[in-house]
Amino acid sequence: MKQIPLSAMFYAMIIFLVIGCVSRKEKDPELDSPVVKDQSVWEEMDDFHLVMAETFHPFKDSANLEPVKMRAEELAVAANKWVDAPLPEKVDNDQVKSSLEKLKAQAANLAESVKTADDNVISDQLTELHDTFHELQEMWYH
């Protein structure tokens, strides 16, 4: 029995991979249907969380308010996007909607406060915003 050289097997595998990647399959009618978001992910919550973590933890860990002073407007924008986005089915209720509106108002107030308020006001507002965020997280994860 004659053995096929390894280099020939390697090239054959590459050819099969390329053909598989570029070949077109028949059109799947399901691909034309509206995209349904993964109900196990709440993207807007995760987006808000990234900014919240980068602003709250420096304050919590070392009383550093500079990150929130620099990014408070970004928190407000993320809160607005979160409120405006469709809710995942498992949290599409009045309690969550109310908490999101509260979060939006708190983020807007914080964005204004960082312009002129003293650090005590900013730290209190940041803590309240963080608490509201965690209430929403609990509603999502429980």
Side-chain angles (χ1 to χ4, degrees):
M1 179 175 212
K2 187 176 178 184
Q3 276 196 335
I4 300 172
L6 283 178
S7 61
M9 288 177 50
F10 174 76
Y11 288 119
M13 284 178 46
I14 296 296
I15 290 170
F16 284 121
L17 284 172
V18 169
I19 290 171
C21 289
V22 297
S23 69
R24 297 189 134 225
K25 295 183 180 179
E26 284 188 37
K27 191 172 185 179
D28 185 350
E30 299 228 349
L31 293 177
D32 290 333
S33 66
V35 176
V36 176
K37 276 187 151 183
D38 182 353
Q39 291 291 305
S40 67
V41 176
W42 197 359
E43 185 178 322
E44 295 78 17
M45 179 183 69
D46 293 340
D47 293 344
F48 184 87
H49 187 198
L50 287 174
V51 183
M52 174 56 75
E54 292 173 356
T55 56
F56 182 74
H57 289 287
F59 162 69
K60 180 184 174 199
D61 297 341
S62 60
N64 181 2
L65 288 171
E66 286 309 307
V68 75
K69 289 178 180 180
M70 300 296 294
R71 298 184 73 186
E73 187 62 37
E74 191 177 344
L75 275 170
V77 168
N80 288 340
K81 286 181 182 177
W82 193 1
V83 168
D84 292 341
L87 292 175
E89 187 177 318
K90 77 179 193 178
V91 290
D92 191 356
N93 60 59
D94 290 339
Q95 182 182 9
V96 169
K97 290 174 186 175
S98 175
S99 291
L100 281 169
E101 288 296 333
K102 179 180 172 184
L103 180 103
K104 178 181 174 180
Q106 288 173 331
N109 289 339
L110 179 61
E112 282 302 310
S113 293
V114 297
K115 296 174 185 175
T116 58
D118 72 22
D119 286 355
N120 290 328
V121 171
I122 295 168
S123 64
D124 289 346
Q125 288 181 343
L126 178 59
T127 301
E128 288 173 4
L129 181 62
H130 181 261
D131 292 347
T132 301
F133 167 71
H134 271 281
E135 290 171 14
L136 283 157
Q137 260 193 329
E138 287 179 28
M139 290 179 216
W140 172 250
Y141 288 115
H142 298 294

